[in-house]
Amino acid sequence: MQLESRSVLLLKQAGAAAFYGASSLLIILVNKAVLTSYGFPSFQFLGLGQIVATLVVLRTAKLFNIITFDDFSIETVKKVFPLPLLYVGNLIFGLGGTQKISLPMFVVLRRFTLLFTMIGEQYYLGIQSSVQVQVSIVMMILGALVAAANDLSFQLIGYLFILINNLCTTANVLVSKKIVDNSQGLNKYGILFYNALVAFLPATLLAYCTGDIEQALQYSHWDNPAFITAFLMSCVMGFVLMYSILLCTAINSPLTTMVTGCIKNIAVTYSGMFFGGDYVYSLTNFVGINVSAIGSLVYSYIKYAEQREQQGPKEKSNGGLVDNKTVDIEKGEDDEPEIPPHLK
């Protein structure tokens, strides 16, 4: 029975992490195809498509009693703040960065999120990282700086987009953890729905004022079935990714979510050298990318070892039993159902 409880917990944790990793990998490749391979000019319009898809999927699932979440009210909207603002920034600047720079450099620069998250966990959640973790993160950052120093496809606007994206992602992960733990009845589906609902209006106004909507409507390949398929996949995967981040953070921790992202990014880094067609090779840049990737692997190993070490004493103090609150965290305080079939 005790072994079964531990196995269930590990399966839930591993499943949540794998779900997030696969979702994150797929959406990066699809977004890159839409914005670069097909030359779609409006990353903000694509972001709006992702927001609309999130609202439609969740509202439809609620109508058919697949999921449940609180009805609309001002109090409900207040509970999710400031996530909608962070979501808009994360979405727009992430897509903008994907469009402006190559995938390998996108991944390398996104590793600054890990540094920001470590700092944020220390001051916001009171979690102190070990010296080994700090050294591995420094290794990743140094590799990123070396790669950026000789990026032959450098675009300042792309680098600025990724910096803002990193800050928004870090804040989103930390605030999501707080909201999930102290939601007072608002489950993860409600957080996702009202996050997207509140974000829709400011995202639409921004896209309209910057001319992004007009550029999207004038795009010449709306009659291309392959492009339409990729565009729709990107819209749906935006919801799936947002859900997977929230789920992984709730079942594991913010740093576990970041570790999963690091491992996934290894695959994106090297496949991105051939996918998208905008990576320009140089020896210094390639060396920096590899140093950063190795640092990412070292970091992931250290975090895994630390987690295993922490689980040992806990199991002893509980007589070998896993904390029921930890095991049941996916259900939440309102005993919401398991992941619905359409998201598995």
Side-chain angles (χ1 to χ4, degrees):
M1 185 66 179
Q2 297 170 0
L3 181 60
E4 183 179 350
S5 297
R6 288 197 298 269
S7 299
V8 170
L9 173 61
L10 289 174
L11 281 174
K12 285 187 175 184
Q13 291 176 330
F19 179 41
Y20 163 59
S23 301
S24 184
L25 173 62
L26 184 57
I27 194 172
I28 288 176
L29 296 178
V30 172
N31 284 341
K32 190 64 176 177
V34 172
L35 295 170
T36 301
S37 300
Y38 289 106
F40 187 66
S42 175
F43 58 85
Q44 292 183 52
F45 188 85
L46 181 61
L48 283 175
Q50 294 182 2
I51 292 175
V52 170
T54 297
L55 293 173
V56 171
V57 170
L58 286 173
R59 185 59 185 169
T60 302
K62 183 180 181 182
L63 285 175
F64 287 93
N65 296 319
I66 298 174
I67 61 174
T68 60
F69 54 84
D70 293 350
D71 292 328
F72 178 83
S73 71
I74 299 299
E75 286 302 315
T76 300
V77 172
K78 286 181 179 179
K79 288 180 182 179
V80 300
F81 257 84
L83 282 181
L85 300 180
L86 296 173
Y87 172 56
V88 171
N90 200 18
L91 182 65
I92 291 176
F93 291 108
L95 290 173
T98 302
Q99 183 185 54
K100 298 295 183 182
I101 63 178
S102 66
L103 282 181
M105 286 308 303
F106 176 86
V107 170
V108 165
L109 295 174
R110 285 288 284 156
R111 291 200 176 104
F112 277 87
T113 302
L114 202 55
L115 174 64
F116 298 157
T117 300
M118 181 183 69
I119 296 172
E121 282 196 327
Q122 180 175 347
Y123 291 101
Y124 188 64
L125 299 179
I127 300 174
Q128 176 70 48
S129 297
S130 66
V131 174
Q132 294 93 327
V133 167
Q134 294 177 32
V135 170
S136 64
I137 290 178
V138 169
M139 184 179 178
M140 282 186 277
I141 298 305
L142 287 176
L145 293 174
V146 170
N150 198 29
D151 180 9
L152 299 182
S153 58
F154 173 81
Q155 289 193 51
L156 178 59
I157 187 66
Y159 275 58
L160 290 175
F161 279 176
I162 296 302
L163 174 61
I164 299 173
N165 184 207
N166 289 339
L167 293 172
C168 290
T169 299
T170 300
N172 187 74
V173 169
L174 297 173
V175 174
S176 291
K177 184 64 176 176
K178 280 275 189 177
I179 290 178
V180 168
D181 290 343
N182 304 290
S183 57
Q184 299 177 347
L186 183 64
N187 62 28
K188 55 181 172 283
Y189 305 112
I191 292 174
L192 290 174
F193 182 82
Y194 292 109
N195 193 18
L197 182 65
V198 177
F200 178 74
L201 181 58
T204 302
L205 290 174
L206 183 62
Y208 177 79
C209 293
T210 57
D212 248 42
I213 293 179
E214 184 178 355
Q215 291 182 41
L217 296 177
Q218 293 176 353
Y219 181 63
S220 59
H221 296 293
W222 283 111
D223 57 348
N224 185 339
F227 167 75
I228 294 295
T229 301
F231 184 88
L232 293 177
M233 281 186 64
S234 177
C235 292
V236 174
M237 286 306 301
F239 157 73
V240 175
L241 175 61
M242 188 166 61
Y243 175 85
S244 69
I245 291 173
L246 190 62
L247 183 66
C248 186
T249 301
I251 294 179
N252 296 288
S253 72
L255 268 177
T256 301
T257 302
M258 294 297 115
V259 168
T260 305
C262 285
I263 296 173
K264 173 268 308 179
N265 285 339
I266 298 294
V268 176
T269 296
Y270 295 106
S271 62
M273 294 180 180
F274 307 97
F275 185 85
D278 55 355
Y279 174 70
V280 181
Y281 171 84
S282 74
L283 180 60
T284 303
N285 178 265
F286 185 72
V287 169
I289 288 174
N290 280 277
V291 169
S292 184
I294 293 172
S296 177
L297 291 173
V298 171
Y299 171 84
S300 299
Y301 173 77
I302 292 172
K303 290 305 296 180
Y304 171 78
E306 288 182 350
Q307 187 176 36
R308 295 289 293 178
E309 186 178 344
Q310 290 170 2
Q311 283 179 347
K314 270 188 183 178
E315 290 168 8
K316 278 186 179 180
S317 64
N318 289 338
L321 290 174
V322 179
D323 191 341
N324 287 334
K325 183 177 180 182
T326 306
V327 174
D328 293 339
I329 193 169
E330 182 180 336
K331 293 184 179 180
E333 295 179 359
D334 55 350
D335 292 322
E336 59 183 319
E338 296 292 331
I339 301 174
H342 70 287
L343 292 178
K344 290 184 178 179

